[in-house]
């Protein structure tokens, strides 16, 4: 956990040092960006793990995976919310998980704009800046604030129609729906009881793995978007305070094509 906290807080310092300045931006796709800060933060992270845990593997968003077959694997997103970061929108973070034998055992997310450090260890609860985290007690969708995100493939017509059908379905059922641009922050705000449910498809494991554990350890429920067991490598999930999970699955069942 010390390595996890050191990694995400150091990442946050590097993010803020260049935030709002002119940074080099490259396109991985039509609307999928990567900045020089994403790359620098990931290189810092890889050096930190190589120094402290040289026999561990790393999987991170920008530079891929080392695969030595180690039991321990760090899964890292150097900037979750890169589009926000590149446009000067202060909603981004660094997010990581530590997998042991394929199971996420530690999660850590640091939001440097609000100086909020979210952590969780499987079976030991979740915390925000050292204080226990709990999901909200709201029991109905009509009283809930939800949040989602859209994949970089959103411009594909068929995909867009399906995604907007789901979005409008929840608009008609919930108090409000938000789209913040950072999956890990979306998940941590569900864990903190600020929102009641989050769903998204086509994510990377680095976007969701650590923060999904934080929701679970804060008393929430996390499944695949179809209600099956969560698989962070399948790219889709539904995370809630537990109370509204079944109601959200019913809306998804009506609105989502398999
Ligand atoms: C982003 C996610 C966000 C999603 C974006 C993108 P990135 O991750 O955090 O929830 O809607 O499409 O995947 O690319 O900023 O690390």
């Amino acid at each position: 956990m010390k390595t996890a906290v050191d990694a995400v807080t150091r990442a946050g310092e590097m993010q803020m040092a260049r935030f709002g300045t002119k940074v080099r931006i490259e396109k991985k796709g039509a609307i999928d960006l990567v900045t020089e800060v994403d790359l620098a933060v990931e290189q810092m992270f890889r050096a930190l793990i190589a120094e402290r845990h040289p026999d561990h593997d790393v999987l991170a968003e920008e530079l891929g995976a080392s695969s030595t077959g180690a039991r321990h694997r760090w899964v890292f997103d150097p900037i979750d919310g890169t589009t926000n970061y590149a446009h000067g929108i202060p909603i981004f973070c660094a997010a990581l998980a530590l997998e042991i034998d394929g199971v996420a055992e530690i999660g850590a997310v640091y939001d440097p704009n609000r100086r909020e450090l979210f952590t969780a260890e499987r079976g030991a609860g979740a915390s925000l800046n050292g204080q226990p985290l709990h999901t909200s007690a709201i029991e109905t969708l009509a009283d809930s604030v939800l949040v989602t995100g859209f994949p970089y493939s959103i411009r594909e017509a068929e995909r867009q129609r399906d995604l907007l059908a789901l979005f409008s379905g929840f608009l008609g059922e919930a108090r409000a729906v938000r789209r913040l641009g950072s999956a890990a922050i979306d998940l941590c705000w569900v864990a903190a009881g600020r929102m009641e449910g989050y769903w998204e498809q086509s994510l990377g494991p680095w976007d969701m793995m650590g923060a999904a554990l934080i929701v679970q350890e804060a008393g929430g429920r996390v499944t695949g978007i179809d209600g099956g067991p969560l698989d962070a490598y399948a790219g889709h999930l539904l995370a809630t305070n537990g109370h509204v999970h079944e109601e959200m699955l019913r809306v998804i069942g009506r609105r989502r094509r398999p």
Side-chain angles (χ1 to χ4, degrees):
M1 182 60 85
K2 182 175 181 343
T3 296
V5 171
D6 288 350
V8 294
T9 51
R10 203 174 294 180
E13 290 160 7
M14 292 176 70
Q15 292 165 354
M16 295 311 282
R18 297 295 308 279
F19 182 55
T21 69
K22 188 166 177 51
V23 298
R24 191 177 69 253
I25 299 171
E26 291 169 13
K27 286 189 173 182
K28 298 191 282 189
I31 56 173
D32 188 357
L33 308 179
V34 57
T35 74
E36 64 179 296
V37 180
D38 289 88
L39 297 172
V41 169
E42 185 167 323
Q43 284 159 354
M44 172 281 292
F45 178 74
R46 289 174 182 274
L48 180 67
I49 300 302
E51 175 199 342
R52 292 197 190 174
H53 309 285
D55 56 344
H56 289 189
D57 276 340
V58 171
L59 165 63
E61 179 171 11
E62 307 306 343
L63 301 175
S66 62
S67 302
T68 65
R71 291 186 60 214
H72 295 72
R73 175 156 74 170
W74 297 83
V75 182
F76 183 65
D77 191 341
I79 303 179
D80 187 49
T82 295
T83 301
N84 288 346
Y85 186 83
H87 284 261
I89 300 167
I91 304 175
F92 54 85
C93 62
L96 70 74
L98 173 60
E99 269 186 326
I100 304 176
D101 299 330
V103 177
E105 295 292 343
I106 284 177
V109 174
Y110 183 57
D111 170 352
N113 290 285
R114 277 159 286 276
R115 296 191 179 83
E116 291 189 330
L117 173 64
F118 299 88
T119 57
E121 196 168 340
R122 186 173 294 278
S127 68
L128 165 54
N129 293 345
Q131 297 304 308
L133 260 187
H134 298 288
T135 50
S136 80
I138 288 175
E139 298 197 348
T140 65
L141 206 42
D143 292 335
S144 294
V145 175
L146 308 180
V147 60
T148 188
F150 297 113
Y152 292 119
S153 59
I154 183 73
R155 291 183 173 179
E156 295 164 20
E158 193 172 321
R159 190 122 180 72
Q160 187 175 116
R161 188 172 57 247
D162 291 348
L163 290 163
L164 293 180
L166 198 46
F167 189 86
S168 63
F170 282 119
L171 275 180
E173 301 279 347
R175 173 167 292 162
V177 182
R178 299 288 180 261
R179 197 278 196 253
L180 301 178
S182 167
I185 287 180
D186 297 339
L187 284 160
C188 287
W189 286 15
V190 170
R194 297 171 185 167
M195 299 187 284
E196 282 64 50
Y198 165 68
W199 80 94
E200 190 158 353
Q201 303 172 82
S202 305
L203 289 168
W206 41 78
D207 293 314
M208 70 161 93
M209 191 184 286
L213 178 63
I214 292 168
V215 173
Q216 291 168 324
E217 289 298 321
R221 183 180 170 196
V222 185
T223 64
I225 199 167
D226 56 2
L230 174 67
D231 172 1
Y233 295 91
H236 57 84
L237 80 167
L238 173 65
T240 69
N241 66 358
H243 303 298
V244 302
H245 210 89
E246 290 302 324
E247 242 190 307
M248 288 191 73
L249 284 175
R250 280 195 291 277
V251 173
I252 291 167
R254 289 197 299 271
R255 291 279 179 154
R256 177 177 179 259
R257 288 190 312 165

